[in-house]
Amino acid sequence: LLNEFETVALDLHPHWMFFAEPVLALLGSVAVGVAGWALLDGDGEKAVLWVALAAVIVTTVWLITRYAKWSTTNFVITSDRLIFRSGVLAKRGIEIPLERVNNVIFSQTVFERMLGAGDLVIESAGNDGQQKFTDIKHPERVQKLLHAQMESNEQRTYQGVRAAASTDVATQLEKLEGLLERGSITPEQFEAQKAKLLDS
């Protein structure tokens, strides 16, 4: 999906907190089954074990589904763009050129800070406005990296504009020399136009 000369600076899957809900539900189901087997007798034990078994199956499917979603979710920063892709069957994608990013905000609760997770809000020009990305690993580092890539992209763009302007001046000077050689302009006119081009 990369353009020519585009390089990847960061490629992230969601933080492992993405699995917290199904893992806790699975552990809870197992705990209920073990408790029912240890504490109850007869029909009560059987009923609790069947319920626990059903819960284990459901939460295992939930965990597998969550893993499939995690493995197909990517938050990518390249030298030119911010790219977000997600979805196993139905796909969703966001692309924001770095030159259109106006602001990058990260937020973390105390618990998320302890785990190294958080959210990023990207403010960009255009119709999209704000985009929020959750379960980002070390969002403050991602924010700094994104700002660094934005500065590098801006410098490359500025240097490209200057190079194009220099090339344009050189082309115009060649045309002026051709006019001078053909006698279409006088040496005085040539020097005057040359000075204007070099001063611009």
Side-chain angles (χ1 to χ4, degrees), residues 48-60:
V48 171
L49 288 177
W50 279 111
V51 170
L53 179 61
V56 167
I57 293 173
V58 170
T59 52
T60 300

Side-chain angles (χ1 to χ4, degrees), residues 29-43:
S29 302
V30 172
V32 168
V34 171
W37 176 75
L39 300 176
L40 299 177
D41 294 320
D43 293 340

Side-chain angles (χ1 to χ4, degrees), residues 51-132:
V51 170
L53 179 61
V56 167
I57 293 173
V58 170
T59 52
T60 300
V61 172
W62 184 14
L63 180 58
I64 293 171
T65 303
R66 184 61 65 92
Y67 175 79
K69 186 175 181 182
W70 175 87
S71 64
T72 56
T73 299
N74 295 81
F75 181 89
V76 181
I77 299 174
T78 76
S79 54
D80 299 326
R81 297 175 290 168
L82 185 152
I83 304 170
F84 179 79
R85 293 277 189 275
S86 68
V88 180
L89 299 176
K91 293 287 186 179
R92 172 174 175 258
I94 299 170
E95 291 189 14
I96 305 174
L98 294 184
E99 61 267 18
R100 292 181 59 187
V101 175
N102 295 331
N103 199 11
V104 184
I105 305 167
F106 82 88
S107 61
Q108 291 176 297
T109 64
V110 174
F111 181 66
E112 286 176 331
R113 188 174 181 182
M114 291 170 61
L115 298 179
D119 302 333
L120 276 179
V121 175
I122 310 294
E123 295 181 358
S124 61
N127 297 327
D128 295 333
Q130 286 189 347
Q131 295 289 341
K132 185 176 182 180

